Amino acid sequence: MHTISAVHWRRPDDGWFKLNTDGSSRGNPGESSYGAIVRDHSGQVVVARQGVLGEGSNIRAELMAILRGLELCVDRQLSPIWLESDSLVALHIIGSSGISWELREEILRIRRLVRQYGVRCTHIYREGNAAADFLANQAYQVEGERVMEGQEIGGLLLGICRMDRLGLPYIRSSCKPG
């Protein structure tokens, strides 16, 4: 059965900051990167961050995107935070009591920040996470890490954010066994 649905990026409540994150891995493991973008209640971009992570798995890239994004919010004193990721696995890891020894330090740091700052964590389909996905994929062209704000945010990223702010839908197409 083939289904088509609309996916919308939603603005955070007044006074909140929404952090969208995405990790990317070219292979599993393979070269990996991340993107994180923070927007205010009006949908305006406050700050964005992207970077390469070296060799790693896709789940490591997703968790590092979340960690780097949360650290960016904390450094900029942007709270309360609504974290949104398209990785159900990463969100499950954060919310569970289990721990992966390989990613132990990163998971513990994320959990500490989530508790300390009362972070709200939710899932969004990949289509609605377009800005973070764009940053993660573009990061392969950047050496190290880059933080952007104001006039540094332009081009396609600015266009994606304008579409989100206007509430325009993304189309999700999925096939389910019927």
Side-chain angles (χ1 to χ4, degrees), residues 31-34 50-54 68 139-145:
E31 184 182 3
S32 60
S33 66
Y34 75 91
Q50 66 184 164
V52 291
L53 299 165
R68 294 284 193 262
Y140 292 110
Q141 301 166 20
V142 176
E143 300 244 350
E145 287 189 329

Side-chain angles (χ1 to χ4, degrees), residues 23-33 53-62 102 126 136-137 140:
S24 171
S25 180
R26 292 184 172 169
N28 197 20
E31 184 182 3
S32 60
S33 66
L53 299 165
E55 189 85 8
S57 67
N58 55 0
I59 191 60
R60 179 180 178 271
E62 293 285 0
E102 178 186 351
R126 180 173 308 279
N137 285 299
Y140 292 110

